[in-house]
Amino acid sequence: MRTDLRMAPLYFSYERKSSYEEQYQGVFHAHLEFEILMIHEGQGSIIVNQRNYEIKPGMICVFQPFQLHHVQTVIGENTPFVRSVIQFEPSRYEAFFENWPALHAFFKQFHKGKPPTPGYYEPKEMERLSHILLSLQESIESLSKDQYLEEFSLFLIAFFRTFRSLYESRRLDSRAEQQTRQPHQAEKIMEWLESHYNQPLRLEKMSTDLHLSPYHLSHLFKDCTGSTISEYLTAKRMQQAVILLQSSDYAVSRIAEEVGITNSSHFCKLFKNHFGSTPYQYRRQWQDHVK
């Protein structure tokens, strides 16, 4: 369910199920909210931090605000995608964690620290977290809107308290997994784009730098991510544009140039297609929100 974002910005969904491809179309994207994604059933891959991770039951991903990511699923009647999702604006809730210093530090680590890698948890561990989500779902219908902020704050504290114990218990195993993991060729393409997104895209240069033919580059990336190189590059540029709109007083034309788009009108059209508002409207809405 989604609440009134002006009252208490939080979205949660418990064990949401998609059994047909039309019900879930993943794309590269980034958003203002902090997101926790719990996988109960599913196959596919998740791309985050320019890395590709296999989707399987027990997977938990944490996406920081503005962090570019892509969930690519293989969905069918016998292979449904079942997940629980939590999204919220961390600045609204951080003050509620301040009474518990260790928990507050853990919360800030995920919000502002180095982006965490996805983790895999046992069924009993997932059940502990799912129970907290289920309790919120069962109580939400009886709450009035003026009770949302208190209820959601208590929910997040309970969730992060349990998640902290699970996360710290598996941290050493996670380090071992990262050391043995081999990078995929598509990840090398994303790393290259990360360094060159603010320049006009030239497949010939990318091809030379990565020692792959332009044809192989394009098809390899599409096969591995479900998106084209151009779609990924646009998502990356829009992600950076949002950050600049919020953190600088640059003119829109300057921001377009900073993210590698020389035509300001084209930039504005891309931005509106991506976010549903023009860069000018987005900045004004953000400034009103901060005030």
Side-chain angles (χ1 to χ4, degrees):
M1 97 167 257
R2 184 176 292 278
T3 69
D4 184 344
L5 298 183
R6 294 168 298 178
M7 297 270 305
L10 186 142
Y11 164 87
F12 75 96
S13 179
Y14 175 65
E15 293 195 353
R16 185 175 180 181
K17 182 177 181 179
S18 299
S19 300
Y20 305 96
E21 289 187 3
E22 294 77 10
Q23 295 176 323
Y24 188 90
Q25 298 291 330
V27 295
F28 280 104
H29 67 286
H31 40 69
L32 173 65
E33 296 85 9
F34 186 100
E35 178 179 345
I36 299 171
L37 173 65
M38 300 168 54
I39 307 295
H40 305 287
E41 296 181 51
Q43 299 177 18
S45 62
I46 289 180
I47 300 171
V48 61
N49 303 330
Q50 295 88 51
R51 295 290 180 269
N52 193 311
Y53 299 89
E54 179 187 1
I55 288 177
K56 54 186 177 180
M59 184 182 199
I60 298 181
C61 301
V62 177
F63 305 123
Q64 294 177 329
F66 309 118
Q67 188 174 24
L68 199 62
H69 56 280
H70 182 354
V71 181
Q72 184 183 16
T73 57
V74 178
I75 298 178
E77 289 189 24
N78 298 320
T79 55
F81 181 41
V82 184
R83 70 278 187 194
S84 295
V85 181
I86 306 167
Q87 287 184 347
F88 61 95
E89 294 184 22
S91 60
R92 180 64 65 92
Y93 292 99
E94 184 167 358
F96 292 93
F97 286 84
E98 292 177 353
N99 291 325
W100 296 275
L103 191 60
H104 186 208
F106 180 73
F107 177 80
K108 288 201 300 183
Q109 171 189 340
F110 277 85
H111 173 207
K112 300 178 180 178
K114 182 180 179 181
T117 58
Y120 300 92
Y121 297 82
E122 297 297 325
K124 287 186 178 180
E125 295 175 318
M126 291 288 284
E127 186 177 344
R128 290 173 61 187
L129 294 172
S130 295
H131 178 72
I132 298 172
L133 263 171
L134 180 59
S135 296
L136 178 61
Q137 179 172 282
E138 291 175 343
S139 65
I140 193 66
E141 296 299 332
S142 62
L143 296 175
S144 60
K145 289 186 177 180
D146 61 357
Q147 295 176 305
Y148 279 172
L149 186 59
E150 178 179 346
E151 189 70 18
F152 292 150
S153 301
L154 293 172
F155 159 73
L156 288 175
I157 289 170
F159 186 93
F160 271 90
R161 184 170 182 265
T162 300
F163 183 46
R164 178 189 170 206
S165 66
L166 300 179
Y167 177 81
E168 292 181 347
S169 69
R170 62 162 290 280
R171 186 162 49 183
L172 293 177
D173 292 337
S174 175
R175 288 174 181 170
E177 290 173 8
Q178 293 174 39
Q179 290 173 356
T180 59
R181 184 182 172 281
Q182 296 298 316
H184 193 281
Q185 281 183 310
E187 296 171 3
K188 295 179 181 178
I189 298 174
M190 285 184 278
E191 289 177 352
W192 189 94
L193 291 169
E194 189 76 13
S195 301
H196 298 82
Y197 74 88
N198 58 350
Q199 304 167 17
L201 177 62
R202 294 187 175 88
L203 281 178
E204 294 78 10
K205 177 170 174 52
M206 186 191 301
S207 174
T208 300
D209 290 349
L210 297 178
H211 309 292
L212 292 168
S213 71
Y215 176 87
H216 192 197
L217 275 174
S218 300
H219 284 75
L220 173 68
F221 194 83
K222 176 71 173 178
D223 289 344
C224 293
T225 69
S227 295
T228 66
I229 290 175
S230 179
E231 289 168 342
Y232 175 83
L233 183 60
T234 297
K236 174 63 184 178
R237 286 170 169 171
M238 295 302 101
Q239 173 203 28
Q240 292 301 120
V242 166
I243 294 174
L244 289 173
L245 284 167
Q246 295 187 3
S247 63
S248 76
D249 58 358
Y250 291 165
V252 169
S253 57
R254 167 77 182 277
I255 291 176
E257 292 176 359
E258 290 286 332
V259 301
I261 301 175
T262 55
N263 187 310
S264 181
S265 297
H266 180 58
F267 167 71
C268 291
K269 182 178 180 179
L270 283 175
F271 193 94
K272 187 170 184 179
N273 288 341
H274 215 75
F275 296 107
S277 62
T278 68
Y280 304 96
Q281 292 168 337
Y282 189 96
R283 173 175 273 169
R284 186 164 59 248
Q285 291 166 359
W286 167 253
Q287 291 171 342
D288 291 343
H289 171 76
V290 172
K291 291 178 182 178

